[in-house]
Amino acid sequence: MWRPTITAHLLRWLVGPSLRRGRPTPQSGASSPPRICTVLVGLLRPSVVPVSVCVSFAASLSLAAPGAFAQGDANAGKAVYELKCAGCHGVKGDGKGPAAELLLPKPRDFTAGIYKIRTTVNKTPTDQDIFRIITDGMPGTSMPPWSVLPEKDRWNLVAYVKAFAGDKLKEPPKKVELPKEVGSSEASIKRGKEMYEAIECHKCHGADGRADGPSRGELKDEWGHPVPPANLAKRWNFRGGHSRTDIATRIANGVLGTPMPAFLDAVEKPEDVWHLTNFIMSLGPDAPHYATLLTVTAVKDAIPDDPNAELWKKIDANNIPLMGQVIVDPRNFNPAIDLVSVRAVYNDAEIAFHFTWDDPSNSTKGDGKTTFADAISVQFPPQITGGTERPYFLMGDGSDAVYLLRWDADKGASEATANGPTKLAAVKGGEVAGKATYTNGRYQLVLKRALAAQGTERPTFRPAVFTPVAFQAWDGGAGEAGPKMSLTSWYYLRLEEPQSNRKFVIPPVVALLTLAAMVLIVRAARSRATNT
Amino acid sequence: MRKTFVVVAVLALSAGAVMLARQAGAQGGGTVEVEVKYNGAPVVEKIKVNKDTEKCGKETTIEKVVVGGNKGLANAVASVPGAKGGKAVKGMIDQHGCKFQPHVVLMTPGEIEIKNSDDILHNIHTYSTANPAINKAQPKFKKTMTEKFEKPEMIKVTCDVHSWMLGWVAVTPGPAAVTDNNGVAKIENVPAGKQKVEVWHETLGKQEKDVDVKAGQTTKVSFEMKGK
């Protein structure tokens, strides 16, 4: 194996990042200037050597000397690989480790030399590309970030995983040349949307980017595994990162080994790559900003059933992450629904929950074998005591039941109690109303019930009490039903104190009375002074 | 000075003579008529189309094994891999009616022109090992693009937008032809002498036979492919 020379060591040290643990990826946003720049600028003052000039000089230096970064030792990488990577990727690097069976997307088969995330226009990724995926992981997949490993180990891994491909990566990497960056603006987003429609991104990614395009079910990767299109409204799950450059690079180069083609030469004008990037970034937030406590807002007026009513737009959304149910059989290792957005309000008679979640297929019934009706439920203890004891979060157990407000695309809204995920019983005499809409890969639903309830099966909701709450969701179109679901553990929700006029009345009254008392005291004191 | 002139003239003359001889050789080549039979049922899958029906139709087919009259196997590539240095053939494939047309394209190593006459998005996704694999979008406004396949290889081509679309690009160094619906392919300009004729089919595999090619004549050879 090739051993790094002293010159290569020195060069790498100089053009390497100033911070040892910093991410030396220009693509991933925050990066530190190369060490050589810190040294030079420190010696000569920034006016003599501007940092930016030095950074580009260092970049050219590292390009001119391939191997300056790429000097991992494959032999040393082997030990780390077998300890940390072989479980999924296999000892032979063929992606067939013992855990591979349960994973989707499947672990990379390094022997094929096909890398999804590249900054190159040809098959061969740069070493930096591989290093970056090892360091940052792949969001939305089972590949975790390995930044806990020493940087040297990660470079050694790069050399080792590349070796699995033999001469399939013999062609040197050819960096993509992105057109000049165009910043985001209303006009750019508009142009991006036009181009999105003209080049028919919606065929796979859907009209609003929620992965619900008509070709979505047919997509397969190089190995024949189903590969769904990315939900462009949830960019924090983008496999290769979600900075502007990351997104533009994916559009330009495509994602190798998947149906996502390269669009660099397939847009009307080169800068359309940036307009598309700006449009995609306008489709959703940068991060899910998960909630910890759900506040139920007090309202005075009647609560609308319509999920698109104006009221719901004024209420803050609480984003709740969902996980696959992997405790009882059948387990759901690859849940389809990973997030539900919850809004909640109450008035003096009713409480209502507004749910928004993405589901690429509108499955109202299914065939009952491989597809089922889409569904969602919200779970409470049967009685809300304010104490810390709660039923088992996985839809209760034999000794303690839970109460569920359910909606399914076939039967609509209902109330149930459950003593486990397969032991549901309908609650009779309930009065739950539900109304749902489905547009371009997104469900919106309102579930509404009376605040007060009779009997021991159904809770009564009271203001200012910490109320345990949990959620479950099923993508019936993806074969989810029964225990095969996405779910949360217990959260808390709290009905905010009812709005009253007292806060506007009492403080002024107290202030007035205090003023009056002060006037009286002053007068009394003055009259005593004149009397003496 | 005169010596140099003589040398140059002799060189030029001999070069011309060699070229003439070559041309004569090419003209003096023979034709190989290959007949491919298949003793099995055709495999044609019918697919319901769920998008772009105005371009693709409501129903389409995946033609894996096409058997025509007299049990002739269509879409098989007959070639003479040993006979290199023939005429260059540029590849030409069209995406029309959400199908690759023709189903099998012949070309010698070099360029291929890829057309999209459908006015909708297709993507050219090749599965190759000898040549670089490509996956390039071809939106409606990009009517043609050119790619290079420099190495001999049978390259599978798909479109992920329309998953039924399947085509093959046969990059062959020597003369070649594709069988018609009667299972017949005529390979022209095959140099005279003993030649290996190869027949390849996308699902039924490969067969080889030795053929004695005579200049200016048509030599017949028949193959029988068996189902797997």
Side-chain angles (χ1 to χ4, degrees):
Chain A
M1 274 290 148
W2 176 71
R3 289 243 154 215
T5 59
I6 293 170
T7 333
H9 263 311
L10 184 67
L11 195 57
R12 185 174 162 243
W13 186 85
L14 282 173
V15 297
S18 298
L19 299 167
R20 193 170 161 67
R21 284 290 170 103
R23 297 195 296 182
T25 40
Q27 294 84 5
S28 65
S31 65
S32 38
R35 202 173 271 114
I36 192 171
C37 304
T38 324
V39 176
L40 273 180
V41 174
L43 286 174
L44 300 170
R45 292 199 313 269
S47 56
V48 182
V49 182
V51 178
S52 59
V53 169
C54 179
V55 169
S56 48
F57 168 72
S60 65
L61 193 65
S62 67
L63 278 181
F69 279 97
Q71 48 125 24
D73 175 355
N75 282 335
K78 185 173 190 283
V80 186
Y81 179 88
E82 283 170 4
L83 199 63
K84 306 286 183 188
C85 318
C88 296
H89 293 285
V91 177
K92 293 179 199 153
D94 54 5
K96 291 181 182 152
E101 195 192 338
L102 299 172
L103 307 180
L104 205 69
K106 295 287 172 203
R108 197 88 310 218
D109 164 10
F110 297 123
T111 61
I114 296 172
Y115 286 87
K116 277 181 174 174
I117 308 303
R118 298 155 301 129
T119 56
T120 56
V121 288
N122 60 345
K123 180 177 180 173
T124 312
T126 64
D127 286 3
Q128 178 66 52
D129 289 342
I130 305 177
F131 179 84
R132 186 225 168 147
I133 294 297
I134 295 173
T135 305
D136 292 352
M138 291 181 98
T141 78
S142 310
M143 174 70 188
W146 286 103
S147 45
V148 287
L149 294 176
E151 195 181 317
K152 194 166 170 233
D153 282 0
R154 282 178 269 146
W155 282 113
N156 293 342
L157 280 173
V158 171
Y160 189 62
V161 300
K162 267 173 67 183
F164 282 123
D167 61 1
K168 286 176 186 158
L169 297 177
K170 63 173 185 276
E171 197 185 324
K174 234 183 280 166
K175 277 285 241 183
V176 66
E177 280 178 38
L178 289 178
K180 192 171 171 282
E181 186 165 348
V182 182
S184 189
S185 67
E186 218 169 285
S188 168
I189 290 170
K190 190 165 163 270
R191 171 69 186 164
K193 186 176 163 60
E194 273 167 27
M195 204 29 52
Y196 185 88
E197 283 157 12
I199 62 174
E200 295 174 75
C201 304
H202 59 83
K203 277 280 160 58
C204 298
H205 293 286
D208 289 334
R210 296 193 202 110
D212 61 319
S215 294
R216 55 172 289 278
E218 300 161 27
L219 306 179
K220 299 232 165 72
D221 71 7
E222 203 82 7
W223 292 265
H225 303 302
V227 50
N231 182 333
L232 303 180
K234 291 179 177 174
R235 65 175 178 273
W236 57 88
N237 276 338
F238 286 0
R239 309 294 191 245
H242 63 276
S243 76
R244 294 171 54 76
T245 316
D246 288 333
I247 296 171
T249 307
R250 291 300 89 71
I251 296 170
N253 287 356
V255 180
L256 205 65
T258 79
M260 172 70 187
F263 277 94
L264 187 61
D265 300 321
V267 283
E268 279 180 359
K269 293 176 198 149
E271 63 266 29
D272 284 329
V273 166
W274 288 107
H275 296 312
L276 279 163
T277 302
N278 292 332
F279 172 66
I280 287 164
M281 293 184 92
S282 77
L283 290 171
D286 63 334
H289 306 293
Y290 294 125
T292 46
L293 172 72
L294 277 83
T295 301
V296 186
T297 309
V299 294
K300 285 198 153 169
D301 303 326
I303 301 167
D305 290 344
D306 179 9
N308 295 314
E310 275 305 304
L311 169 75
W312 300 113
K313 290 173 189 141
K314 294 177 204 152
I315 306 295
D316 287 340
N318 300 281
N319 287 342
I320 310 288
L322 275 74
M323 308 297 281
Q325 188 286 113
V326 289
I327 298 164
V328 299
D329 281 325
R331 290 156 221 253
N332 194 8
F333 288 103
N334 299 291
I337 303 167
D338 63 357
L339 175 100
V340 59
S341 199
V342 185
R343 293 169 168 87
V345 296
Y346 77 102
N347 61 17
D348 51 8
E350 290 179 313
I351 183 164
F353 300 91
H354 179 283
F355 304 95
T356 306
W357 74 101
D358 290 357
D359 179 335
S361 61
N362 180 15
S363 179
T364 50
K365 205 157 190 171
D367 60 12
K369 285 175 197 146
T370 54
T371 54
F372 307 90
D374 295 328
I376 195 163
S377 62
V378 51
Q379 163 181 309
F380 303 95
Q383 297 300 317
I384 294 154
T385 57
T388 51
E389 273 204 27
R390 299 164 298 190
Y392 186 39
F393 79 96
L394 181 50
M395 299 177 92
D397 57 15
S399 50
D400 291 296
V402 293
Y403 166 83
L404 300 167
L405 278 174
R406 287 172 56 78
W407 175 87
D408 105 27
D410 183 24
K411 296 184 188 102
S414 64
E415 285 174 283
T417 59
N419 285 91
T422 55
K423 291 178 182 153
L424 269 74
V427 176
K428 283 183 187 127
E431 285 179 3
V432 59
K435 195 173 171 191
T437 59
Y438 180 84
T439 325
N440 292 344
R442 172 166 289 178
Y443 273 112
Q444 290 200 288
L445 164 72
V446 172
L447 282 178
K448 200 161 78 169
R449 206 207 77 169
L451 271 184
Q454 302 291 321
T456 54
E457 292 173 315
R458 310 167 69 230
T460 290
F461 294 98
R462 283 185 298 270
V465 176
F466 282 93
T467 306
V469 62
F471 303 90
Q472 296 101 22
W474 293 262
D475 176 355
E480 293 181 356
K484 208 174 169 200
M485 63 176 133
S486 310
L487 80 176
T488 72
S489 181
W490 287 111
Y491 276 77
Y492 279 106
L493 68 78
R494 185 174 174 278
L495 282 63
E496 68 173 18
E497 317 276 339
Q499 286 175 10
S500 87
N501 291 335
R502 283 165 61 176
K503 64 184 169 195
F504 301 109
V505 177
I506 294 171
V509 168
V510 170
L512 276 173
L513 286 174
T514 316
L515 190 70
M518 282 165 68
V519 169
L520 282 175
I521 290 166
V522 170
R523 274 202 176 170
R526 276 198 184 150
S527 66
R528 194 175 291 168
T530 45
N531 285 348
T532 49
Chain B
M1 192 66 188
R2 186 171 284 178
K3 231 179 186 177
T4 332
F5 175 77
V6 171
V7 169
V8 169
V10 166
L11 272 177
L13 274 174
S14 52
V18 166
M19 274 169 78
L20 275 174
R22 262 203 186 168
Q23 226 164 26
Q27 274 164 1
T31 300
V32 178
E33 188 180 308
V34 181
E35 193 181 25
V36 187
K37 299 221 180 240
Y38 175 61
N39 219 344
V43 183
V44 177
E45 278 177 48
K46 279 192 177 172
I47 303 275
K48 272 229 157 80
V49 174
N50 69 340
K51 68 206 135 208
D52 297 327
T53 47
E54 67 282 2
K55 298 285 175 190
C56 312
K58 283 184 180 150
E59 203 178 73
T60 187
T61 49
I62 307 180
E63 291 162 349
K64 288 186 173 158
V65 180
V66 178
V67 185
N70 208 13
K71 291 185 177 172
L73 179 70
N75 293 333
V77 177
S79 64
V80 185
K84 285 175 194 171
K87 208 171 62 178
V89 179
K90 190 178 174 183
M92 180 92 80
I93 193 167
D94 189 10
Q95 297 154 94
H96 183 64
C98 303
K99 289 201 164 187
F100 289 110
Q101 298 191 349
H103 181 73
V104 180
V105 184
L106 287 179
M107 63 181 281
T108 50
E111 285 191 346
I112 180 168
E113 194 179 324
I114 301 165
K115 286 189 179 175
N116 176 3
S117 48
D118 267 348
D119 221 20
I120 50 172
L121 169 76
H122 288 300
N123 68 311
I124 288 285
H125 195 159
T126 67
Y127 293 78
S128 49
T129 47
N131 294 285
I134 57 165
N135 180 9
K136 289 190 178 174
Q138 194 168 10
K140 56 187 173 191
F141 50 81
K142 199 171 169 113
K143 302 287 181 202
T144 59
M145 57 187 201
T146 306
E147 288 297 325
K148 267 189 187 164
F149 298 130
E150 308 271 20
K151 305 261 168 65
E153 188 180 14
M154 299 296 179
I155 304 171
K156 183 175 140 187
V157 185
T158 66
C159 166
D160 297 283
V161 186
H162 309 96
S163 57
W164 61 83
M165 287 175 69
L166 173 67
W168 290 87
V169 177
V171 188
T172 56
V178 181
T179 57
D180 60 15
N181 274 341
N182 294 318
V184 178
K186 276 187 187 168
I187 317 173
E188 281 165 358
N189 294 326
V190 182
K194 277 219 155 109
Q195 295 287 1
K196 261 198 171 61
V197 174
E198 193 181 280
V199 165
W200 171 92
H201 184 269
E202 59 186 273
T203 55
L204 303 173
K206 223 177 350 183
Q207 283 187 14
E208 258 181 16
K209 272 187 184 174
D210 285 326
V211 177
D212 202 4
V213 182
K214 293 190 179 86
Q217 289 184 24
T218 298
T219 317
K220 286 193 178 182
V221 57
S222 63
F223 288 81
E224 190 174 324
M225 305 294 270
K226 289 194 176 74
K228 278 175 188 170

